[in-house]
Amino acid sequence: MMSEQQNAYLKAMGIDVWVERSPAVSAETEQQLKIEQVQPVPVTESEPAPAIEILPEAEIPETLESLNWQGLQTKVTECTLCGLAKNRSRTIFGAGTHTASLMIIGNAPNEEDEKYGEPFSAEAGKLLTAMLHAMGYQRNDVYITNLVKCSTFDNQDPSVDEVAACEAFLTRQVNLIKPDLILALGSITAQRLLKSKSTMSRLRGQLQYADGINAPIIVTYEPAYLLRSPNEKRKAWDDLQIAMRELSSINSKREVSALSNETTL
Ligand code: SF4
């Protein structure tokens, strides 16, 4: 059963919840429960764009598996493995907690993200925050990143080659976080991640698994798409509920296992 707060956030997502509302929730309280506006701190000084020399051919990065967060982020900041390096004012590595049980992956940062230094910073980011609230998470409870760490030309989808060039960075992020579940946002993210050409209708609604990624994946719509197609928010909520059930099931199994270990000691 959903909490009043989750109902309020669903309303903020634009989804009507057909359950009897508690008379105890006053209009004032409901207003307080509405989605917090994402207020990332703008960059106060414009950082000079580093001189970038694009390598003639993408080189496979040296193994990243020994790198910690700081080392990995430095590698990304210096990376010129694909042509997107020419387009960026800075790389957008990711944001959130490094011990998140839920990891969110989109396709690519945009200009707004470059301005604020975080993925999903603008209007689509506000909707993503509302979606997370509806699941019972604060934005800082999860880890959010993209397939590629540099913005694309004219906000185009990242190409297969660009995603491949950036893949090792994402894989290392996943391995460092060890999330219980990944939420893949949008068809391009899902198709590139799963190396599949299947449609959203085939990819949604069930756990998916990607080579080299040691966590189940739930596919749902991109917040930017949901802003353009609000009628699909109901389906997105269905996906989020699958994710919530899976996370709850993983937690329950973990608790049972811990209890059983205690009793055998
Ligand atoms: Fe490097 Fe990834 Fe940026 Fe391409 S998108 S230049 S692989 S960090």
Side-chain angles (χ1 to χ4, degrees):
M1 187 170 165
M2 283 178 296
S3 68
E4 291 165 354
Q5 191 169 30
Q6 283 178 308
N7 282 338
Y9 288 129
L10 281 176
K11 194 172 177 189
M13 280 177 66
I15 295 174
D16 294 324
V17 182
W18 298 100
V19 295
E20 190 178 352
R21 297 177 66 102
S22 166
V25 178
S26 66
E28 186 184 354
T29 306
E30 185 168 316
Q31 187 60 33
Q32 288 170 352
L33 290 174
K34 281 191 174 174
I35 171 176
E36 298 165 15
Q37 298 294 306
V38 177
Q39 294 178 328
V41 181
V43 181
T44 48
E45 292 178 22
S46 57
E47 296 178 358
I52 290 170
E53 182 189 348
I54 305 298
L55 298 176
E57 289 182 13
E59 293 176 1
I60 304 299
E62 66 187 67
T63 180
L64 302 176
E65 284 308 303
S66 59
L67 293 182
N68 61 14
W69 279 104
Q70 194 177 3
L72 185 65
Q73 185 155 6
T74 300
K75 283 277 180 200
V76 168
T77 304
E78 296 169 348
C79 178
T80 57
L81 278 174
C82 81
L84 294 183
K86 282 191 272 188
N87 191 52
R88 70 183 182 219
S89 61
R90 60 163 149 172
T91 53
I92 302 300
F93 183 68
T97 179
H98 293 168
T99 54
S101 58
L102 178 62
M103 186 170 180
I104 314 291
I105 301 178
N107 60 22
N110 58 28
E111 280 181 12
E112 285 292 308
D113 300 337
E114 286 188 337
K115 183 175 166 191
Y116 291 109
E118 280 194 20
F120 291 92
S121 297
E123 286 306 304
K126 291 177 189 171
L127 179 55
L128 176 60
T129 303
M131 292 163 72
L132 292 171
H133 285 169
M135 295 176 74
Y137 289 99
Q138 299 298 313
R139 195 172 159 111
N140 282 340
D141 294 335
V142 304
Y143 191 84
I144 306 173
T145 190
N146 286 296
L147 293 175
V148 294
K149 315 306 183 197
C150 301
S151 59
T152 55
F153 299 94
D154 296 327
N155 286 332
Q156 291 171 352
D157 297 325
S159 70
V160 172
D161 288 346
E162 288 157 355
V163 172
C166 218
E167 185 176 357
F169 297 130
L170 178 66
T171 302
R172 182 62 186 146
Q173 285 177 306
V174 174
N175 289 344
L176 282 166
I177 293 170
K178 299 184 177 60
D180 290 334
L181 187 79
I182 291 171
L183 195 60
L185 303 178
S187 58
I188 294 299
T189 302
Q191 289 170 348
R192 303 278 193 269
L193 204 54
L194 299 167
K195 298 182 174 51
S196 163
K197 291 184 178 172
S198 295
T199 59
M200 278 295 274
S201 58
R202 286 184 179 273
L203 294 172
R204 291 178 50 247
Q206 57 189 311
L207 294 177
Q208 303 283 358
Y209 295 88
D211 287 344
I213 295 204
N214 194 21
I217 298 166
I218 289 288
V219 175
T220 192
Y221 294 100
E222 216 179 1
Y225 170 76
L226 293 174
L227 290 173
R228 298 191 301 272
S229 311
N231 289 343
E232 303 284 41
K233 287 181 180 175
R234 169 58 66 181
K235 289 191 202 165
W237 176 233
D238 291 341
D239 300 331
L240 300 189
Q241 286 181 295
I242 296 172
M244 289 158 68
R245 279 197 296 273
E246 181 62 20
L247 285 163
S248 172
S249 163
I250 291 168
N251 266 336
S252 299
K253 284 178 192 160
R254 193 172 284 142
E255 282 169 14
V256 168
S257 171
L259 203 59
S260 131
N261 285 342
E262 270 178 30
T263 52
T264 53
L265 285 178

